[in-house]
Amino acid sequence: MIELRSVTKEYELGKTKVEALRGVSLKIERGEFVALVGPSGSGKTTLLNIAGLLDRASSGTVLIDGSEIGDLSRNALAGLRGGKIGFIFQGFNLVPVFSVYENIEVSLVLAKAEGNRKEWKERITRAIDEVALGGFARNKPAELSGGQRQRVAIARALVKRPEIILADEPTANLDSKTAFSIIELMRELNEEERTTFVFSTHDDRVLKYARRVVRIEDGELRE
Ligand SMILES: Nc1ncnc2c1ncn2[C@@H]1O[C@H](COP(=O)(O)OP(=O)(O)OP(=O)(O)O)[C@@H](O)[C@H]1O
Ligand SMILES: [Mg+2]
């Protein structure tokens, strides 16, 4: 469903160039549960951003369901980003002044989701229940624990019912118990709804849960 072919990414830092990805080829099929592991600075976030269409490759090809994204219009790309792909960012990116409910609602607004007020409410409430945060809908992120915030971030991706969720370090900064519960939740969604997951981690504790492990070092894959 997502395929990268010989993707490179260079960042310019003043006069120096950083080669964050050096020819990465990777194919993710529907229903997979993939861990992307590698040391800090190896290119995990860069790879996820490019696979999630948040950033562009310097060279190489990105295909979604067999179509090259270079051939798609701006609108088509925005539609893919909004509907098909959910993203969980490194460090949550929740809006501090919004409640849990509103943070999840933003996702439907940005995705230009269909449905009336009542249908939106049902979808948001269901997502909140799925991440076991019923009762916290009106709370602000600052009133939640790290694990609860991470679950809001998952609900926000989930509410769109995307086919694939790309998660950047979803268990970073969580204690072991909470980290396992986050990974278990992702596994459940993977098994019950066939949501495809690709998550980056340098957390060895969660690796045994992955069905496939892709290793990245210095911008190159070693599967
Ligand atoms: N916006 C940017 N401008 C310049 N260089 C960048 C930028 N983003 C990332 N880099 C560089 O690209 C390389 C890969 O960074 P990336 O964030 O993808 O690594 P990572 O594997 O996600 O690391 P971490 O585990 O610390 O999150 C690093 O050398 C980093 O310094
Ligand atoms: Mg990163």
Side-chain angles (χ1 to χ4, degrees):
M1 70 190 304
I2 295 188
E3 187 178 355
L4 309 186
R5 286 189 193 152
S6 311
V7 164
T8 70
K9 179 71 182 179
E10 281 188 358
Y11 292 108
E12 294 194 17
L13 267 180
K15 277 190 191 156
T16 52
K17 280 193 180 151
V18 180
E19 272 190 274
L21 298 178
R22 310 166 190 254
V24 167
S25 296
L26 177 66
K27 198 169 181 178
I28 308 289
E29 307 282 3
R30 180 99 208 264
E32 281 203 278
F33 196 78
V34 185
L36 176 65
V37 291
S40 183
S42 56
K44 301 182 295 296
T45 298
T46 305
L47 193 160
L48 289 176
N49 285 345
I50 290 173
L53 312 182
L54 300 172
D55 198 1
R56 284 197 168 257
S58 303
S59 71
T61 316
V62 179
L63 299 105
I64 306 276
D65 291 337
S67 313
E68 281 192 32
I69 58 157
D71 295 338
L72 300 175
S73 68
R74 268 175 157 271
N75 271 342
L77 277 180
L80 280 177
R81 257 194 307 259
K84 208 186 207 21
I85 303 171
F87 214 94
I88 299 171
F89 294 92
Q90 196 165 7
F92 319 141
N93 275 20
L94 301 177
V95 184
V97 296
F98 282 4
S99 67
V100 166
Y101 187 96
E102 289 162 338
N103 265 287
I104 297 168
E105 191 174 29
V106 167
S107 181
L108 293 179
V109 174
L110 292 178
K112 299 196 177 80
E114 289 174 5
N116 58 32
R117 248 193 121 66
K118 183 164 165 276
E119 286 161 341
W120 275 32
K121 193 174 173 198
E122 282 166 7
R123 288 175 70 174
I124 296 165
T125 307
R126 179 171 166 212
I128 290 174
D129 287 342
E130 279 173 323
V131 298
L133 283 179
F136 289 92
R138 289 173 194 286
N139 288 85
K140 302 271 163 64
E143 297 162 344
L144 306 177
S145 71
Q148 288 171 329
R149 282 180 219 173
Q150 190 57 291
R151 283 187 270 148
V152 178
I154 293 175
R156 189 177 49 181
L158 203 64
V159 72
K160 300 193 293 181
R161 300 291 139 190
E163 290 175 21
I164 181 161
I165 294 182
L166 302 168
D168 200 4
E169 307 264 4
T171 62
N173 310 316
L174 301 178
D175 61 85
S176 292
K177 196 164 156 255
T178 315
F180 284 129
S181 80
I182 294 293
I183 294 293
E184 255 160 36
L185 170 63
M186 286 166 43
R187 273 293 289 263
E188 250 172 62
L189 293 163
N190 173 253
E191 274 159 26
E192 284 161 22
E193 310 212 17
R194 277 194 85 218
T195 310
T196 308
F197 276 90
V198 183
F199 63 98
S200 71
T201 185
H202 37 224
D203 187 346
D204 285 340
R205 298 170 305 178
V206 303
L207 275 190
K208 59 171 176 275
Y209 284 80
R211 290 218 197 80
R212 176 178 169 199
V213 177
V214 175
R215 290 186 189 276
I216 183 166
E217 256 171 60
D218 277 334
E220 287 178 296
L221 296 192
R222 322 186 184 280
E223 194 152 353

